[in-house]
Amino acid sequence: MEVVDPSPNLQRGVVRVQAPLVDSVSCYCRVDSSLKTVAGARKFVPGSKLCIQPDIKPHAHKSKNSRRERNRTQSPLLPGLPDDLAIACLIRVPRVEHRKLRLVCKRWYRLLSGNFFYSLRKSLGMAEEWVYVIKRDRDGKISWHAFDPIYQIWQQLPPVPGEYSEALGFGCAVLSGCHLYLFGGKDPNRGSMRRVIFYSARTNKWHRAPDMLRKRHFFGSCVINNCLYVAGGECEGIQRTLRSAEVYDPNKNRWTFVADMSTAMVPFIGVVYDGKWFLKGLGSHRQVMSEAYFPATNTWAPVNDGMVAGWRNPSISLNGKLYALDCRDGCKLRVYDEVTDSWNKFIDSKLHLGSSRALEAAALVSVNGKLCIIRNNMSISLVDVSRPDQHLESNALLWETIAGKGQVKTFVTNLWSSIAGRSGLKSHIVHCQIMLHVCQSTAAENLKQLNEVGTLSEVAFWSHTPVLNVVER
């Protein structure tokens, strides 16, 4: 607003215009056309408006009030809807389309890159578990793929970093629900590694993490209470077989040593069951041996009971029970009985695929409460073990094939199966993990992410309905 100085000392017909005193870090002058205003000018430029704050500092830090003002004036997430309703709509978009949603605008990208969006999906029962498969192709290269069980399609993923493109004996684990870690291993040129990297399912990018304390490859690993444990393995040098063990806490972002194993071992199978970590492998003299780690007391103890004696790979602990495959193609399952300390026949699909390496079951994981069997030819079968009223041993209808031979829903699925079948013995699955986009976080962190997105109605959104208040805390 222009202020006229009516000083009697001015000559008749001459009017002096002064800029009002404004405490602001933003220049409020705007030019309708020709952009002739100069920031910091102390006089009119013909055809322009007056800069009401001549001594502007263009690079001054914006205050919180100006940031809130910007949030109030920015465009909504969805035109015509308040932001809380817009988020209620966006969380219902299937996960397979989220990569496209991030490309719409910066606000959508920030919303989908934060944990609040996916925590809300999880609290409303909309979270989707994907199967992530790391595979060694017939040329020895490491590749990896993500499978969407709902739409039954394979998803594209960024390439594995170069240090793991041909690595051997590395570990793989998921921490915090949405971070997939690759650690250790042996580089063909540089030998054993301590390197640790992780992939974020939210940002679709790879990141570095602190290195392990000891170089090792062909070791055992597990996740207990969202902490990553590694033990045993091999390393170049005089002491080739290792006894040492260590743990990584993502909250502290550091590795620490734990108690050494009773004897050196190169594990080839491991599982967390009943709060303990069981390992079975080869000793320094290539004898078969097994040990169990007790996290509560930080101790190791040799194990030689019926569970270890009849234990075969792959295996998994689900709903308090320990399951293992009973045949090469994974069409038979066994369950461990603590009372008799033995493995019992559990279920047979009655449809065996063969004994070739391409059809061999490589992993056993849990997807939406069901056992998921993944084979080297990228075929996938689900087994529903959540029905105690069913006679599972003779009910083959509980088996469901969602990817593999005869699957015609997507070209990509058939392509990967074909490639795996032609590659013979050289192509096989190395690791398999299940990941959500949801990471462990607090309500305060979620609100902070909402503030960064610039959502106007976060308070109304949290109280919009009782269901929306159960976001993971």
Side-chain angles (χ1 to χ4, degrees):
M1 178 178 180
E2 297 182 355
V3 179
V4 179
D5 184 3
S7 175
N9 297 328
L10 292 177
Q11 298 179 2
R12 185 177 182 181
V14 178
V15 179
R16 186 175 64 183
V17 180
Q18 294 180 345
L21 297 178
V22 179
D23 183 14
S24 172
V25 294
S26 300
C27 181
Y28 290 94
C29 58
R30 295 290 183 271
V31 181
D32 297 332
S33 62
S34 72
L35 299 177
K36 295 179 181 179
T37 297
V38 179
R42 296 182 180 274
K43 61 182 180 179
F44 282 112
V45 176
S48 69
K49 294 182 179 180
L50 176 67
C51 178
I52 65 174
Q53 187 180 358
D55 297 327
I56 183 174
K57 297 179 180 179
H59 302 290
H61 178 68
K62 294 185 178 181
S63 65
K64 293 183 178 180
N65 292 333
S66 64
R67 189 178 299 115
R68 293 193 188 100
E69 185 67 25
R70 181 201 62 188
N71 292 341
R72 292 191 184 96
T73 58
Q74 63 186 348
S75 59
L77 289 171
L78 287 176
L81 289 178
D83 284 346
D84 51 355
L85 295 181
I87 295 178
C89 295
L90 292 176
I91 62 174
R92 286 163 172 79
V93 177
R95 178 177 169 182
V96 68
E97 304 292 343
H98 289 181
R99 183 168 57 91
K100 299 176 183 177
L101 295 184
R102 293 190 182 95
L103 302 177
V104 174
C105 62
K106 290 183 178 179
R107 290 197 69 200
W108 285 30
Y109 178 85
R110 290 194 295 266
L111 177 65
L112 271 74
S113 296
N115 191 53
F116 167 77
F117 182 84
Y118 294 101
S119 295
L120 189 58
R121 282 174 55 86
K122 181 179 179 181
S123 67
L124 298 179
M126 301 175 184
E128 302 170 39
E129 296 179 334
W130 281 11
V131 181
Y132 287 77
V133 173
I134 298 179
K135 188 174 183 180
R136 189 177 306 279
D137 296 328
R138 53 182 175 178
D139 57 355
K141 299 288 185 180
I142 293 294
S143 61
W144 71 312
H145 326 279
F147 181 75
D148 182 356
I150 296 179
Y151 290 89
Q152 300 183 10
I153 56 178
W154 292 96
Q155 299 296 318
Q156 294 182 350
L157 296 171
V160 175
E163 59 267 31
Y164 282 98
S165 60
E166 298 182 17
L168 302 171
F170 59 90
C172 179
V174 172
L175 294 178
S176 303
C178 68
H179 293 158
L180 185 142
Y181 284 75
L182 301 183
F183 43 96
K186 183 178 181 180
D187 185 276
N189 300 320
R190 295 178 292 179
S192 297
M193 300 186 294
R194 298 190 299 125
R195 184 176 296 269
V196 180
I197 60 176
F198 70 93
Y199 165 80
S200 174
R202 292 206 311 253
T203 62
N204 198 35
K205 295 179 181 179
W206 288 94
H207 308 272
R208 280 294 303 271
D211 291 346
M212 293 193 302
L213 302 177
R214 183 69 188 269
K215 294 181 179 180
R216 65 182 79 224
H217 59 273
F218 293 117
F219 50 87
S221 64
C222 76
V223 176
I224 302 176
N225 297 328
N226 198 42
C227 290
L228 174 59
Y229 290 82
V230 298
E234 293 183 340
C235 182
E236 294 88 351
I238 299 176
Q239 188 179 3
R240 182 179 179 87
T241 307
L242 303 176
R243 294 178 51 197
S244 63
E246 49 191 296
V247 59
Y248 171 70
D249 186 345
N251 296 325
K252 299 179 181 179
N253 197 30
R254 67 180 183 183
W255 290 85
T256 55
F257 281 115
V258 295
D260 289 349
M261 306 175 69
S262 302
T263 55
M265 182 197 303
V266 179
F268 56 77
I269 181 175
V271 69
V272 176
Y273 173 65
D274 195 24
K276 298 181 286 290
W277 181 23
F278 293 87
L279 283 175
K280 187 176 182 180
L282 299 177
S284 55
H285 300 289
R286 293 302 182 242
Q287 73 278 19
V288 178
M289 54 187 306
S290 58
E291 286 200 40
Y293 176 70
F294 301 81
T297 59
N298 188 27
T299 56
W300 292 87
V303 179
N304 188 17
D305 54 15
M307 190 207 87
V308 175
W311 186 18
R312 298 180 184 177
N313 196 29
S315 59
I316 185 177
S317 177
L318 178 63
N319 298 329
K321 294 184 178 181
L322 184 60
Y323 301 90
L325 299 181
D326 194 29
C327 61
R328 190 181 182 95
D329 59 3
C331 292
K332 288 183 180 180
L333 282 174
R334 294 188 304 164
V335 62
Y336 175 67
D337 187 353
E338 289 186 343
V339 177
T340 61
D341 191 25
S342 62
W343 291 86
N344 300 328
K345 182 179 179 181
F346 185 62
I347 186 173
D348 189 343
S349 70
K350 308 297 182 180
L351 182 62
H352 294 273
L353 306 177
S355 58
S356 69
R357 181 66 181 274
L359 297 173
E360 182 179 355
L364 186 62
V365 295
S366 172
V367 177
N368 298 323
K370 297 182 179 181
L371 291 182
C372 181
I373 303 169
I374 299 98
R375 302 179 180 88
N376 284 327
N377 68 345
M378 309 292 275
S379 64
I380 300 177
S381 298
L382 291 179
V383 186
D384 189 356
V385 295
S386 61
R387 307 181 191 177
D389 56 329
Q390 297 284 343
H391 188 57
L392 299 179
E393 185 174 332
S394 60
N395 192 346
L397 298 178
L398 300 180
W399 291 72
E400 176 187 4
T401 300
I402 59 176
K405 187 176 181 180
Q407 180 71 20
V408 295
K409 289 192 175 182
T410 65
F411 169 78
V412 179
T413 301
N414 290 330
L415 177 62
W416 284 121
S417 297
S418 178
I419 292 176
R422 290 198 307 267
S423 59
L425 299 177
K426 294 183 179 180
S427 179
H428 61 280
I429 292 175
V430 180
H431 293 288
C432 183
Q433 298 288 341
I434 303 298
M435 261 205 305
L436 291 167
H437 273 200
V438 183
C439 288
Q440 296 180 359
S441 63
T442 63
E445 291 172 340
N446 288 333
L447 286 176
K448 179 181 178 181
Q449 292 167 357
L450 272 179
N451 184 50
E452 292 175 353
V453 174
T455 303
L456 303 178
S457 312
E458 61 260 33
V459 177
F461 183 63
W462 283 84
S463 59
H464 184 70
T465 173
V467 178
L468 299 182
N469 285 322
V470 293
V471 176
E472 182 182 36
R473 286 171 166 80

